[in-house]
Amino acid sequence: SQELSSEETRKAIERRLEEDPGLLLQVEVSGVDCLRLHSRLEHLPFGLRHLRVTDPKQCVIHIGDDFLAEWESLVTLDLASLQNVQGIGGCFLFGCRSLQAVDLTPFCNIKKIEYRFLNYCESLTELDLGPLQNVTEVDFCFMSNCTSLQTLDVGPLRNVTVID
């Protein structure tokens, strides 16, 4: 058995994605990734449409700036296992133009929504902000340019005292 480099692995997954664009890639967070989830996850293959990020040790407490920013092919994202997230950096999913669904359940402990949160997610049709009940501050360009958005539940954002 031969160990592949991360570049060889990425290219092999890209070839597999060309064969089956509906393929779901699952990435488990461990070791050095704990505490702060890297922003762009550069090792992910080009063309990735469906992603699940798991955190079995429940160690991720912050998602960095530009998390998956401008990942235009991303259609679905499952972050449900990130149950200890206390903060999210700016440009969270910025420019994910094909994103159709995102579950905000893991973000029940977030106090502030940073700049350009879900900005330019043009394929997003509905979103439940229910899990964001602890948010008190919303920074600029919150969900701007989500041109397909038809249903938005904003009820839980009644605690917001600062909107930039």
Side-chain angles (χ1 to χ4, degrees), residues 90-104:
C91 294
F92 175 76
L93 300 175
F94 169 82
C96 290
R97 297 179 190 279
S98 299
L99 186 66
Q100 294 176 1
V102 62
D103 180 4
L104 301 177

Side-chain angles (χ1 to χ4, degrees), residues 56-76:
K57 296 179 183 175
Q58 297 298 300
C59 59
V60 174
I61 59 170
H62 191 270
I63 296 175
D65 286 346
D66 301 315
F67 181 74
L68 296 175
E70 300 183 275
W71 205 277
E72 294 190 11
S73 62
L74 190 65
V75 175
T76 62

Side-chain angles (χ1 to χ4, degrees), residues 8-20 45:
E8 290 170 321
T9 301
R10 186 181 60 76
K11 286 183 179 182
I13 294 171
E14 285 177 359
R15 286 191 297 276
R16 179 71 173 97
L17 284 169
E18 287 176 10
E19 297 167 9
D20 182 4

Side-chain angles (χ1 to χ4, degrees), residues 21-117:
L23 185 71
L24 169 70
L25 180 65
Q26 180 168 311
V27 176
E28 183 175 306
V29 178
S30 63
V32 296
D33 289 332
C34 285
L35 302 181
R36 184 179 184 91
L37 191 57
H38 297 292
S39 52
R40 291 191 182 262
L41 297 177
E42 287 88 359
H43 59 283
L44 292 177
F46 176 77
L48 178 66
R49 298 182 68 210
H50 308 283
L51 175 64
R52 175 182 298 135
V53 179
T54 62
D55 181 16
K57 296 179 183 175
Q58 297 298 300
C59 59
V60 174
I61 59 170
H62 191 270
I63 296 175
D65 286 346
D66 301 315
F67 181 74
L68 296 175
E70 300 183 275
W71 205 277
E72 294 190 11
S73 62
L74 190 65
V75 175
T76 62
L77 176 63
D78 180 354
L79 300 173
S81 83
L82 303 181
Q83 295 297 314
N84 289 326
V85 175
Q86 305 293 316
I88 302 173
C91 294
F92 175 76
L93 300 175
F94 169 82
C96 290
R97 297 179 190 279
S98 299
L99 186 66
Q100 294 176 1
V102 62
D103 180 4
L104 301 177
T105 303
F107 307 139
C108 62
N109 297 315
I110 302 297
K111 303 278 190 253
K112 179 181 181 183
I113 295 176
E114 294 290 344
Y115 58 96
R116 294 193 170 115
F117 181 88

